[in-house]
Each structure stands twice: as C-alpha cells, then as structure tokens.
Amino acid sequence: MSSGDFGGERLSALWRRRFPKGPPVAHELRAGHSDRWVRFHSLPGSKRYPETEDEYAIVLHRYNTLLDELFEGTDVYVITVAWSWDPDGTELPPRRAEAHPEGSRWTTLVYEDDPDPELHSYTHLYADLRPWRPGTVDAILREVADDVLSGVIITDSGLSRLHLPYDGGADVIAAGPEERDRLRDRHREWLPRNPAGL
C-alpha cells in the first residue's frame, strides 16, 4: 500500500493489524465482523433515496447521530474511493475529488485476475485525518445518499470502530458486541425490517 501525507504508512500498518483478513473494501467488511456489525437505514420505511430537502435532512441527521455516538471527541480518518481502468487513468466518479478535496492518495488496490488486460481495474483510496464534529463530512454523505460515492469508510484513528455509509443506510462495525447492542437498542426505529438485519 502506498501512502499520502496524512500518516498513510501508519494507517496501512494499522489496517493490516486490525483487519488482517482483507483490504479496506467497505462492502466486504461486515462478513468478517458479524459479531460487531449492525445496519441502520437512512429514511423511515426503509426508503432508499431522499427526494426532498426534508428527506436529506433526515438522512444527514441519522448519519451524524451515529457518527457522533461513535466518534465524539476523537479524530477520524475519512476514506473515499475512486476507480480507473489504468493505474493513472481518469478516475470515476469525478465528483469524489470535489466532495473530498482534503483526501490524499492512501493506497491503490489492483484487480488483475482477468486474463484480459482491458478488464483490469484499479481502486484508489483517498484519506485524511480530521477532528470529528457533526457536519464535517456532510458533503461526502450527501454524495453517498445519491449513490454517487460508494465504498466510504469513516473510522477513529485507532480503527476500533467503522462507519460504512451506503445509499440507503450505514453499516457500523462497533468496538465490540456490547457497544453494537447499545447502538442497536438506542436506534431500533432505524433498523431494517429484514430478519437478517439487511
């Protein structure tokens, strides 16, 4: 993993120590940490996408409430993702840089399993470290809610808790099962109706 000027080498080493089973790919993390994982939906009735400013306000309130409970008084790594078909090619989505201008290139994950080089892809992760405060990542969260950005990870500087927002909600990997249960119990009305918690 390469690193930027925000402590990328430290972040890479810490990631390998805390999450040795795999790379920082948000949608894959819950499988290996189901004892600490819980999912919350962003809108009443599990509606997927906000359509009005009132609904955006609900989405941002839910995201920020969870983030504040997880990270109040701490510094957080904010990690966003872009993709390209060449190592240094045009990155998609182009709005990642607009939503996360503070992000420095942390690492690139290379996918070259396909024998056809035209189908190789590169996932670029950008990160910055900042003090947590409600609203500090609203520009990113709004892009997530609209399914423009995906793969976002917000985590404390020790990587003990992860907030993984997606279009429609957020997966949380808490510090442990007890913390997960407390979060779940405090926000029962935000839980999915699906028995599997999805």
Side-chain angles (χ1 to χ4, degrees), residues 23-187:
V25 178
H27 69 273
E28 295 177 0
L29 290 166
R30 73 177 164 88
H33 305 281
S34 58
D35 63 324
R36 302 189 287 144
W37 167 81
V38 60
R39 173 169 287 181
F40 299 96
H41 283 174
S42 294
L43 286 167
S46 297
K47 183 177 179 180
R48 188 94 189 223
Y49 298 104
E51 297 176 283
T52 67
E53 284 306 312
D54 286 345
E55 288 181 336
Y56 279 105
I58 292 168
V59 168
L60 292 174
H61 167 73
R62 290 188 180 189
Y63 282 143
N64 278 288
T65 297
L66 292 170
L67 286 162
D68 208 36
E69 290 180 23
L70 292 167
F71 305 125
E72 183 180 17
T74 67
D75 290 340
V76 293
Y77 284 109
V78 178
I79 301 165
T80 57
V81 178
W83 295 267
S84 66
W85 293 108
D86 296 303
D88 298 307
T90 302
E91 294 184 5
L92 302 170
R95 282 174 42 190
R96 187 221 59 83
E98 295 170 32
H100 189 203
E102 308 87 351
S104 297
R105 176 84 65 93
W106 167 31
T107 190
T108 296
L109 307 175
V110 180
Y111 297 94
E112 296 180 326
D113 294 341
D114 197 289
D116 184 350
E118 301 257 335
L119 298 177
H120 296 175
S121 66
Y122 302 84
T123 300
H124 310 288
L125 283 80
Y126 291 82
D128 78 280
L129 183 65
R130 64 178 81 175
W132 165 252
R133 67 179 187 282
T136 192
V137 291
D138 280 3
I140 292 169
L141 295 173
R142 210 172 155 117
E143 298 289 351
V144 169
D146 287 337
D147 197 22
V148 174
L149 294 183
S150 61
V152 171
I153 299 171
I154 302 166
T155 180
D156 59 280
S157 59
L159 274 60
S160 59
R161 299 170 177 89
L162 303 177
H163 183 276
L164 311 167
Y166 68 92
D167 55 312
D171 287 338
V172 171
I173 298 176
E178 291 179 1
E179 182 179 79
R180 184 264 326 264
D181 292 349
R182 285 194 301 272
L183 276 173
R184 184 187 60 210
D185 292 346
R186 268 198 301 270
H187 304 292

